[in-house]
Structure formats: C-alpha cells, structure tokens
Amino acid sequence: MRGGGNMNNMMKQMQKMQKKMMKAQEELHEMTFEATAGGGMVKVVANGKKEITDVEINEEVVDPDDVDMLQDLILAATNDVLKQVDDKTNDTMGQFTQGLPGGMF
C-alpha cells in the first residue's frame, strides 16, 4: 500500500489547485476592463465575465450623416475590451493549465 500515500498527496494537491483556480476565476469576474476608440470618443466597459457593463459615446461623434463611423468605433472599442478580458484570463488561468494537454481556457 505504498502508492496509497502518494495518491492521497496528489489528490490533496489537486484539490488545493482547484480552490486556487476558483478563487482566481472569481477575482477575474470582479475585474473591470475599459477600452476606447476614436481618441476617447467611444468608451466600452466590460467585466471579467465578458459582459459589457457600460458604453459611453461622446456627442461630438454622433453624426446622422456618418452612422458607419460611429458603428466602427463602437465595434473597435468592444472588440478591444473583450480582447483585454481574454488576455487577462489566459494570463491568470494559464498558470493552472501549464503542462496539461490542450489546456482548458
């Protein structure tokens, strides 16, 4: 029964790592990310769950004759903020998946 002790230690370490992962994920979900486009004319805010929580549009950029530009600015800021969330998630959670085949995130 020599292997039993090693198995118990491995299980304890896995449980410990799982708790750390859950805590890290909770902290990520509570973070706020912000991106702007058009020199700050459009600002998009998201949380770590990739939920858009706020969009601010400077009235100077609202031109009824150029709606396409406003749409492009909103898309650019939204894509940027979501990339920030992805990058932070990968950086934070990647430490738990190093060495695992295929990763998890």
Side-chain angles (χ1 to χ4, degrees):
M1 286 280 172
R2 288 173 148 168
N6 287 339
M7 184 61 92
N8 284 338
N9 283 340
M10 191 169 78
M11 291 299 289
K12 285 180 184 178
Q13 286 180 339
M14 288 185 71
Q15 287 173 344
K16 199 175 190 180
M17 187 170 78
Q18 186 178 21
K19 285 181 183 179
K20 285 182 180 179
M21 282 178 62
M22 290 175 66
K23 184 175 180 350
Q25 195 166 31
E26 286 175 20
E27 289 173 357
L28 275 169
H29 288 175
E30 293 173 9
M31 289 181 171
T32 300
F33 300 84
E34 179 180 306
T36 61
M41 295 298 228
V42 172
K43 178 170 85 170
V44 176
V45 180
N47 62 27
K49 296 178 188 176
K50 295 176 101 174
E51 298 169 335
I52 304 301
T53 58
D54 191 24
V55 175
E56 294 179 19
I57 300 171
N58 187 312
E59 63 185 46
E60 293 174 29
V61 79
V62 179
D63 179 356
D65 295 326
D66 195 3
V67 174
D68 288 340
M69 181 186 68
L70 179 57
Q71 291 170 339
D72 289 343
L73 292 174
I74 293 169
L75 284 174
T78 302
N79 287 331
D80 185 19
V81 79
L82 293 177
K83 183 180 181 321
Q84 288 179 37
V85 176
D86 282 343
D87 290 347
K88 183 65 174 177
T89 299
N90 290 335
D91 288 347
T92 301
M93 302 308 285
Q95 64 184 323
F96 299 108
T97 60
Q98 287 177 349
L100 295 177
M104 292 172 55
F105 300 95

